[in-house]
């Protein structure tokens, strides 16, 4: 059996976020990304979504580099190689160094196509078993503590299972202490997006008082050594995000005891196959895993939901409902959250239809590559 791919479409999309999203790096108001589409000869369509932003604040990749790498290298590699299974994509793309988000955007579409060719949900194709998944929500840095408390209250009432609060120096202990006072029972975690160094160790240790589920990526985006030093003195579990790009990174982080939790983002690790391997290794070493988010539209969100059905995804992810991000999403039905849970779709592939009208309305440019 092979996976015949006849044509690849790259659609550049631009969508406005409902609310600006602020991290320790700055504020995002709109999102640009690619929807990738792979077609076979039988009329099946597989969809993927790229997650790099327009500027390289989160990682070195951008919308432009994703385009360059897909168009000039990865699609060429797919032309020259026959796929028997979506896992083969890892090998096919291996000669191209890093550029994981570009790789993942195409690999995800191939996984969806494969699941549709086999008439099974993507979750099942990946080996996932959950029928519903727990979700949390990530709240950006707010103009005031009062705004933050109100925003948290809103999402707690909507049923989200844990609240993630973005922090940075000057917006950390005092803010979180106030949050804890108002929400004594709510599962709360903090995400620093690399805003600290080991010099801040005393300030970070104060967070131990607040019974946080974890602190995500407190130190440099390319570090796992200092994180190990920090974890040795911190009671709060450390979760790595930006530092993890591969199964090898995870193996080393576990060996060094740099973290006890890992945020898996499909784009950051180069696709679903690598994400699956990471979850397998984490299961072996009793490292808790959850699915991170990159403010995805519906297609990327559907991939995140499918991945989260794997067993080691034991903590609520950042895969909130469509309406938290968009006035109108590009899938039908949109992703909805009830009592902090998303029901996993049982239709073939990603399990959501593309809303062609919405997709067209947000499309800036379309390119077609015949294989
Ligand atoms: O809601 C989401 O999709 C995730 C929100 C989030 O925390 C985030 C959003 C953009 C870039 C990085 C991160 C992060 O997890 O660090
Ligand atoms: Mg993060």
């Amino acid at each position: 059996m092979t996976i015949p791919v006849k044509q690849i479409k790259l659609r550049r999309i631009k969508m406005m976020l409902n609310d600006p999203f602020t991290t320790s790096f700055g504020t995002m108001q709109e999102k640009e990304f690619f929807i990738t589409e792979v077609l076979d000869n039988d009329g099946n369509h597989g969809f993927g979504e790229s997650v790099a932003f327009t500027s390289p604040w989160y990682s070195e990749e951008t919308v432009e580099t994703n385009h360059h790498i897909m168009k000039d290298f990865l699609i060429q590699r797919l032309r020259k190689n026959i796929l028997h299974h979506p896992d083969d994509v890892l090998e096919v793309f291996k000669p191209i160094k890093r550029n994981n988000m570009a790789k993942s955007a195409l690999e995800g579409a191939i996984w969806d196509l494969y699941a549709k060719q086999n008439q099974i949900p993507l979750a099942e194709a990946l080996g996932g078993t959950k029928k519903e998944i727990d979700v949390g929500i990530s709240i950006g840095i707010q103009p005031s503590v009062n705004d933050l408390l109100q925003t948290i209250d809103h999402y707690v009432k909507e049923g989200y299972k844990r609240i993630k609060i973005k922090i940075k120096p000057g917006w950390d202990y005092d803010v979180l202490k106030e949050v804890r006072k108002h929400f004594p029972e709510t599962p709360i975690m903090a995400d620093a997006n690399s805003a600290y160094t080991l010099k801040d160790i005393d300030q970070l240790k104060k967070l131990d008082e607040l019974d946080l589920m974890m602190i995500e990526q407190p130190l440099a985006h390319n570090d796992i050594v200092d994180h190990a030093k920090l974890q040795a003195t911190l009671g709060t579990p450390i979760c790595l995000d930006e530092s993890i790009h591969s199964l090898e990174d995870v193996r080393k982080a576990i060996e060094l005891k740099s973290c006890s939790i890992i945020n898996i983002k499909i784009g950051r690790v180069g696709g679903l196959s690598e994400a699956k391997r990471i979850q397998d290794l984490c299961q072996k070493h009793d490292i808790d895993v959850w699915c991170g988010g990159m403010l995805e539209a519906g297609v990327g969100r559907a991939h995140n939901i499918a991945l989260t059905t794997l067993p080691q995804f034991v903590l609520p992810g950042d895969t909130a409902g469509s309406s938290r991000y968009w006035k109108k999403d590009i899938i039908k039905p949109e992703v909805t959250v009830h009592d902090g849970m998303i029901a996993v779709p049982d239709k073939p592939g990603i399990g959501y239809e593309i809303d062609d009208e919405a997709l067209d309305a947000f499309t800036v440019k379309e390119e077609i590559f015949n294989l």
Side-chain angles (χ1 to χ4, degrees):
M1 275 283 285
T2 61
I3 309 174
V5 178
K6 182 176 87 169
Q7 191 181 79
I8 299 180
K9 264 191 213 172
L10 298 184
R11 237 187 255 252
R12 188 166 171 146
I13 309 289
K14 192 189 253 193
M15 287 169 75
M16 292 299 293
L17 287 163
N18 285 340
D19 301 306
F21 189 79
T22 302
T23 69
S24 56
F25 279 88
T27 301
M28 287 181 56
Q29 300 256 23
E30 60 177 23
K31 186 137 192 243
E32 284 187 59
F33 55 96
F34 288 94
I35 290 295
T36 59
E37 182 178 357
V38 294
L39 288 83
D40 70 7
N41 290 309
D42 302 322
N44 294 305
H45 304 246
F47 292 92
E49 182 173 325
S50 68
V51 298
F53 303 120
T54 47
S55 83
W57 69 267
Y58 172 82
S59 79
E60 67 277 23
E61 293 187 80
T62 68
V63 180
E64 285 299 319
T65 70
N66 282 179
H67 181 247
H68 168 49
I69 297 294
M70 286 193 288
K71 173 170 157 289
D72 296 330
F73 302 103
L74 301 177
I75 292 175
Q76 309 299 335
R77 301 280 314 155
L78 290 173
R79 271 207 181 104
K80 291 195 185 112
N81 291 273
I82 292 167
L83 303 172
H84 297 274
H85 186 275
D87 284 337
D88 297 345
V89 177
L90 266 179
E91 277 304 308
V92 171
F93 288 170
K94 207 170 180 178
I96 311 299
K97 300 292 181 295
R98 292 177 66 111
N99 286 287
N100 284 347
M101 294 175 184
K103 291 174 179 174
S104 171
L106 289 168
E107 191 248 23
I110 290 164
W111 266 104
D112 182 30
L113 180 67
Y114 168 81
K116 284 170 177 161
Q117 287 169 343
N118 289 281
Q119 294 282 309
I120 53 172
L122 177 59
E124 188 185 326
L126 292 167
T129 49
K130 288 178 213 148
K131 299 292 172 219
E132 48 184 7
I133 59 163
D134 287 345
V135 284
I137 194 156
S138 172
I139 300 177
I141 292 170
Q142 301 292 311
S144 71
V145 176
N146 235 349
D147 287 305
L148 177 62
L149 294 173
Q150 276 179 29
T151 309
I152 294 172
D153 189 58
H154 173 79
Y155 289 123
V156 167
K157 285 186 177 135
E158 279 195 9
Y160 283 98
K161 302 247 169 167
R162 66 101 172 102
I163 303 289
K164 166 164 136 181
I165 295 160
K166 293 285 190 183
I167 58 167
K168 63 178 182 181
W171 182 267
D172 48 29
Y173 173 76
D174 295 337
V175 174
L176 290 170
K177 193 171 170 192
E178 200 63 22
V179 169
R180 181 47 91 208
K181 199 175 95 195
H182 285 80
F183 300 93
E185 307 292 335
T186 304
I188 288 166
M189 59 170 290
D191 184 0
N193 289 108
S194 303
Y196 298 88
T197 71
L198 280 182
K199 289 193 187 122
D200 303 307
I201 200 154
D202 293 337
Q203 185 70 2
L204 292 169
K205 278 175 84 151
K206 277 171 38 185
L207 302 180
D208 277 347
E209 260 176 52
L210 303 174
D211 191 27
L212 302 178
M213 288 172 85
M214 71 193 88
I215 175 166
E216 183 178 346
Q217 198 71 34
L219 308 178
H221 68 94
N222 55 359
D223 168 78
I224 55 172
V225 174
D226 285 357
H227 278 101
K229 286 186 193 157
L230 180 63
Q231 183 67 95
T233 72
L234 214 60
T236 308
I238 290 179
C239 169
L240 289 178
D241 173 357
E242 281 90 331
S243 295
I244 300 296
H245 300 273
S246 64
L247 180 68
E248 270 298 282
D249 286 348
V250 173
R251 177 182 69 75
K252 291 167 189 169
I254 293 173
E255 211 170 296
L256 288 176
K257 299 190 167 63
S258 314
C259 64
S260 55
I261 300 174
I262 286 181
N263 164 343
I264 298 183
K265 289 183 182 171
I266 305 167
R268 195 188 62 234
V269 303
L272 286 164
S273 296
E274 189 77 358
K276 214 163 105 69
R277 292 180 187 192
I278 291 173
Q279 93 94 42
D280 294 347
L281 185 68
C282 288
Q283 192 167 31
K284 238 201 236 148
H285 292 272
D286 209 20
I287 297 287
D288 287 352
V289 161
W290 55 279
C291 184
M294 291 287 280
L295 312 173
E296 288 91 344
V299 171
R301 199 159 297 283
H303 284 267
N304 288 341
I305 293 166
L307 179 68
T308 305
T309 64
L310 292 167
Q312 196 58 16
F313 286 78
V314 293
L315 296 168
D318 275 346
T319 305
S322 298
S323 65
R324 181 254 183 281
Y325 308 88
W326 318 111
K327 271 199 191 66
K328 182 149 184 47
D329 205 340
I330 56 173
I331 52 164
K332 290 186 291 195
E334 301 200 339
V335 175
T336 53
V337 176
H338 300 283
D339 297 328
M341 318 270 278
I342 293 173
V344 179
D346 55 9
K347 299 198 179 65
I350 57 173
Y352 298 87
E353 296 291 320
I354 299 298
D355 184 333
D356 290 318
E357 214 174 292
L359 191 65
D360 283 347
F362 298 131
T363 298
V364 179
K365 193 178 170 190
E366 186 179 307
E367 285 168 284
I368 294 181
F369 302 84
N370 290 311
L371 269 61

